[in-house]
Amino acid sequence: MLGRRGWLAAALAAPAVARAEDLPGVTATELKIGNTMPYSGPNSAYGVIGRTEQAFIRMLNETTSFGGRKLNFVTYDDGFSPPKTVEQARRLVEQDRVAFLFNPLGTPTNSAIQRYCNQRKVPQLFVATGADKWGNWKEFPWTMGWQPSYRTEAQIYAKHLLAERRDFRLAIVYQNDDFGKDYIAGMRDVIGAERFDATVKTASFEITDPTPDSQILSLQGTGADVLMIALGPKAAAQAIRKTFDIGWQAQRYLTNVSLSVGAVMQPAGVEKGVGIITSGYLKEQGDAAWRDDPGMNEYRAFMKQWMPEGDLHDANTVYGYALGRTLRQLLTQCDGNFSRENIMRQAANLRNVAIPVLLPGITLDTGPQDYRPIQRMQLQRWDGASWVRFGGLIEGADA
């Protein structure tokens, strides 16, 4: 038997365990998770990601629990408007008292709430945007990305270019914001600052510009024989068409966000993009290689049962499913401790996590000083009808 002093010493030595009622978003029976998505507005097509995640969480609530708790996924429409995102994020944190934010979408929208989340020490996890800054664990330890960063992607293109050509003259047309500038930074990382600054030609494109035609003509005049197209879907389609129509025979690289067949390659003219190189990290429903793939069969079975209205060919549903699997892994690793500190700790402790819809060999890996879960991609080339994968996986320079 312990005396009074013994009990006191034991109590002081025991680790403090927070009660569920003391933790934001956590009760004995529920874990509340917050999200913002553009269910309306110019980027409403991305809303299907949030709907897929809602379906995945319904499945989880029917089939499992986390420390005896069910998930309450509170997702609000921000219309892809940063002021609205700020309003909804504050509502989620201060009124709904969610444990954390999961996969909020958009670079400008997440940028608008990043400092707020970090000041409040609210995990802003697996944001749905590829800006490189989501890996800045030193300045923003409560924010983490998920998909390969645009800078990593550009590093991969530069590695391929250097492996294929000893001599080249590179030109880059880029959207004049964080997205486009990440491609310049990534190319410069690998090519080398001195060579890049001395030889590479760039032309910026404002999203208010009607077309990138003048930039393409200007860059052709430099004599460049390699062109990096770092533009959103509409402008990318115009750039592909223009380079073909003026007979510019440059080797073309294309940002992954603009590889859509329906939104980019067809409007550009499928024959005008032959030979373009881009990259991927997710399996695609339309790729014959995955017709009998166990991972894609798992995705198809999920869609059939839990989201029958969804489009199997929409890459956004594959993405949403992958994030659902990531969420399940994260919460399993938390092992019933859903303090914000432990949620963030486990997010930074993903080790070789296989997600069935990622390309073979690509896994999620993070660490306390590594906030970039995916850093490998596979190149693919447009053959006039579809994207054809080639070569092995390539890592970015920071991997």
Side-chain angles (χ1 to χ4, degrees):
M1 297 285 292
L2 287 173
R4 184 170 180 176
R5 285 186 179 177
W7 281 113
L8 179 59
L12 291 173
V17 179
R19 296 175 300 169
E21 56 266 32
D22 295 330
L23 301 178
V26 183
T27 70
T29 59
E30 179 183 88
L31 174 62
K32 190 178 291 186
I33 302 168
N35 168 268
T36 57
M37 278 280 157
Y39 294 111
S40 65
N43 284 321
S44 59
Y46 288 128
V48 71
I49 294 173
R51 289 189 287 275
T52 305
E53 291 165 354
Q54 291 177 67
F56 195 95
I57 288 171
R58 286 197 301 271
M59 180 187 73
L60 289 179
N61 283 336
E62 289 288 329
T63 59
T64 188
S65 70
F66 300 93
R69 299 173 179 88
K70 299 299 183 182
L71 307 181
N72 181 357
F73 187 55
V74 185
T75 177
Y76 293 136
D77 180 19
D78 66 2
F80 207 74
S81 166
K84 186 69 172 178
T85 309
V86 171
E87 176 187 329
Q88 300 291 39
R90 293 180 66 95
R91 178 182 175 188
L92 287 164
V93 172
E94 298 170 25
Q95 296 180 31
D96 297 312
R97 287 180 57 79
V98 299
F100 63 100
L101 299 184
F102 169 71
N103 198 226
L105 187 139
T107 298
T109 47
N110 274 287
S111 296
I113 61 174
Q114 185 179 23
R115 193 165 297 280
Y116 168 78
C117 289
N118 280 264
Q119 289 173 344
R120 299 293 293 255
K121 297 184 178 180
V122 177
Q124 183 186 9
L125 282 179
F126 310 133
V127 295
T129 149
D132 189 65
K133 62 184 178 180
W134 312 127
N136 185 0
W137 57 270
K138 289 183 179 179
E139 188 174 356
F140 296 104
W142 296 86
T143 301
M144 182 181 291
W146 187 83
Q147 68 207 65
S149 82
Y150 304 135
R151 187 168 183 165
T152 294
E153 183 189 344
Q155 291 166 357
I156 288 170
Y157 298 140
K159 281 189 169 186
H160 177 263
L161 175 59
L162 288 175
E164 292 290 309
R165 299 190 183 202
R166 186 173 180 177
D167 297 310
F168 56 83
R169 288 167 290 175
L170 172 65
I172 303 174
V173 57
Y174 69 99
Q175 190 167 295
N176 193 22
D177 56 15
D178 285 347
F179 157 64
K181 291 173 183 177
D182 271 347
Y183 285 90
I184 291 179
M187 287 290 207
R188 191 172 184 269
D189 290 338
V190 174
I191 292 171
E194 185 176 349
R195 181 178 182 182
F196 186 97
D197 294 344
T199 65
V200 177
K201 306 301 181 183
T202 65
S204 64
F205 172 82
E206 304 295 335
I207 57 174
T208 52
D209 293 345
T211 75
D213 288 1
S214 63
Q215 289 89 338
I216 294 298
L217 288 169
S218 173
L219 291 175
Q220 183 198 30
T222 68
D225 54 10
V226 180
L227 173 66
M228 173 71 232
I229 300 173
L231 302 171
K234 180 180 178 181
Q238 295 170 330
I240 292 167
R241 183 167 59 243
K242 188 64 175 179
T243 56
F244 180 90
D245 289 348
I246 63 177
W248 188 8
Q249 298 297 314
Q251 168 61 61
R252 293 170 290 178
Y253 291 91
L254 175 68
T255 167
N256 171 269
V257 304
S258 294
L259 58 70
S260 170
V261 176
V264 178
M265 306 312 293
Q266 289 177 347
V270 292
E271 76 287 354
K272 297 183 178 183
V274 172
I276 287 179
I277 293 173
T278 188
S279 58
Y281 61 96
L282 288 169
K283 296 173 184 174
E284 294 185 36
Q285 166 68 12
D287 189 333
W290 316 124
R291 186 174 292 119
D292 299 312
D293 177 70
M296 286 300 283
N297 283 341
E298 188 178 305
Y299 155 75
R300 294 176 190 116
F302 159 79
M303 292 292 289
K304 182 177 181 180
Q305 181 173 356
W306 297 98
M307 198 176 171
E309 75 282 4
D311 180 2
L312 284 174
H313 293 273
D314 187 343
N316 289 317
T317 60
V318 180
Y319 178 92
Y321 179 80
L323 267 295
R325 287 294 300 258
T326 304
L327 176 65
R328 185 172 76 178
Q329 176 69 30
L330 171 69
L331 299 182
T332 299
Q333 286 186 201
C334 285
D335 194 26
N337 178 359
F338 298 114
S339 69
R340 287 172 171 169
E341 291 78 10
N342 192 50
I343 289 169
M344 203 68 226
R345 187 180 303 117
Q346 297 308 319
N349 188 36
L350 299 175
R351 306 297 186 189
N352 198 34
V353 175
I355 301 294
V357 293
L358 290 176
L359 291 177
I362 297 179
T363 57
L364 305 182
D365 290 277
T366 60
Q369 298 179 13
D370 179 6
Y371 275 25
R372 295 183 171 91
I374 302 175
Q375 297 189 46
R376 291 186 289 179
M377 304 179 82
Q378 186 172 18
L379 295 174
Q380 46 192 4
R381 184 181 285 110
W382 181 251
D383 70 356
S386 63
W387 293 105
V388 180
R389 289 174 293 111
F390 67 92
L393 299 178
I394 306 180
E395 297 182 353
D398 294 335

